[in-house]
Amino acid sequence: MDNRPIGVFDSGLGGLTGVRELAKLLPGEDIVYFGDTARTPYGSRSRDTILRYGKQDIEFLLSKGVKAILCACNTVSSTLPETYTDALPVPFVGVVRAAAAAAAARSASGRIGIIATAATVRSGSYEAAIRPLRADARLTAQACPLFVPVIENGYLDRRNPITVTLAREYLAPIRAAGVDTLILGCTHYPLIAGTIADEMGPGVTLVDSGAEGALALRRLLEERDLLCGRVQGGNLSFYVSDSGENFAEIGALFLGRDLSGGIHPYTLLE
Ligand code: DGL
């Protein structure tokens, strides 16, 4: 048993998709979240910058005494080498492997779509994770660089004309490939899952990388006997590196609870 908090991080709001699932699966656990809102988006940056930011995010969570880390950012999860994550003093779960395994298991036809940031698509991380699990997989990946700023700015309504136009444009090649499963390979995207589902149609299963990461983390905590002693009443605290306004507003909508009292500003040192 271990009563220390779980650490979760992302470049901004996206990782809340992992927090929502974790809080549902493990309601007694304390969770410390870090959203690097001053430097979002990560997905259009260089590999070296993403590595630097990701390592700083992890150092911050370690300074809060967490017992395990969920990297609820596909961009960082695609970029950090295993030699680094394996050497961390606490267990580390990245969303890419978890979502890749779920997609490989759920797809009937093996035709799998991946939408993600430019950095995640460029890294080839999903292809590398799926191929050993499904030799017959036919993958179609599409970078959607404008989704993250649109989501961070709150254009979340299912019929928002800007979001719908972007989704139509980005998803056209995925639809043309006839996929039966689509990985939301950026943890921000479940916030516009309704618009994406409308574009893809009812025959396509969406895989939520944040939620899959949370499930993988629960399995790991169970296996290593690291769950806390409570079954209810876990505390959620949120740290953001820039203004918490949008974060509080959209986060409250998304998590279904008021965050205003639990958001703390924290600036990472360059
Ligand atoms: N939500 C993140 C991801 O899963 C990061 C998006 C970004 O900052 O570009 O990739």
Side-chain angles (χ1 to χ4, degrees):
M1 185 168 71
D2 191 328
N3 285 331
R4 289 177 296 165
I6 296 169
V8 182
F9 75 95
D10 180 46
S11 64
L13 280 160
L16 294 181
T17 58
V19 171
R20 178 164 78 172
E21 193 64 21
L22 261 185
K24 218 187 303 162
L25 293 169
L26 300 170
E29 296 284 344
D30 291 341
I31 299 174
V32 177
Y33 182 84
F34 179 66
D36 195 2
T37 50
R39 305 192 295 195
T40 194
Y42 283 6
S44 45
R45 298 184 192 271
S46 70
R47 185 171 181 280
D48 283 353
T49 301
I50 295 165
L51 277 177
R52 185 156 52 88
Y53 288 178
K55 288 179 181 177
Q56 287 175 341
D57 299 342
I58 289 169
E59 287 302 323
F60 171 73
L61 289 176
L62 290 174
S63 78
K64 293 285 160 199
V66 299
K67 64 181 169 188
I69 293 177
L70 173 61
C71 170
C73 179
N74 288 265
T75 305
V76 174
S77 180
S78 296
T79 308
L80 283 177
E82 256 174 48
T83 45
Y84 171 81
T85 55
D86 288 351
L88 287 170
V90 299
F92 175 94
V93 169
V95 281
V96 169
R97 272 222 203 142
R106 281 182 214 155
S107 172
S109 67
R111 291 181 190 222
I112 299 171
I114 302 147
I115 51 171
T117 65
T120 297
V121 170
R122 191 175 60 226
S123 75
S125 59
Y126 271 101
E127 289 83 344
I130 292 172
R131 199 57 71 198
L133 306 173
R134 280 289 295 258
D136 66 329
R138 287 168 62 185
L139 309 175
T140 310
Q142 172 69 39
C144 308
L146 294 174
F147 272 167
V148 169
V150 156
I151 291 164
E152 288 281 335
N153 283 287
Y155 292 70
L156 305 182
D157 187 86
R158 194 171 188 141
R159 290 189 190 78
N160 182 290
I162 293 171
T163 316
V164 170
T165 304
L166 280 179
R168 194 151 295 162
E169 171 86 10
Y170 285 145
L171 296 172
I174 305 272
R175 288 179 53 154
V179 305
D180 69 358
T181 304
L182 175 61
I183 300 174
L184 306 184
C186 169
T187 50
H188 280 72
Y189 300 171
L191 281 96
I192 53 164
T195 309
I196 294 171
D198 289 345
E199 281 308 308
M200 293 308 297
V204 177
T205 304
L206 303 185
V207 174
D208 176 333
S209 53
E212 295 303 329
L215 280 164
L217 182 68
R218 177 177 67 173
R219 267 197 307 279
L220 184 136
L221 295 177
E222 282 168 354
E223 280 163 18
R224 303 202 187 177
D225 194 22
L226 288 176
L227 291 171
C228 75
R230 291 180 307 267
V231 289
Q232 285 300 331
N235 181 55
L236 305 187
S237 33
F238 300 92
Y239 291 82
V240 288
S241 54
D242 197 10
S243 154
E245 277 164 38
N246 258 0
F247 190 92
E249 198 182 314
I250 301 174
L253 267 181
F254 187 68
L255 292 177
R257 58 175 97 184
D258 178 25
L259 306 188
S260 46
I263 299 190
H264 317 282
Y266 186 86
T267 310
L268 291 177
L269 294 175
E270 281 291 331

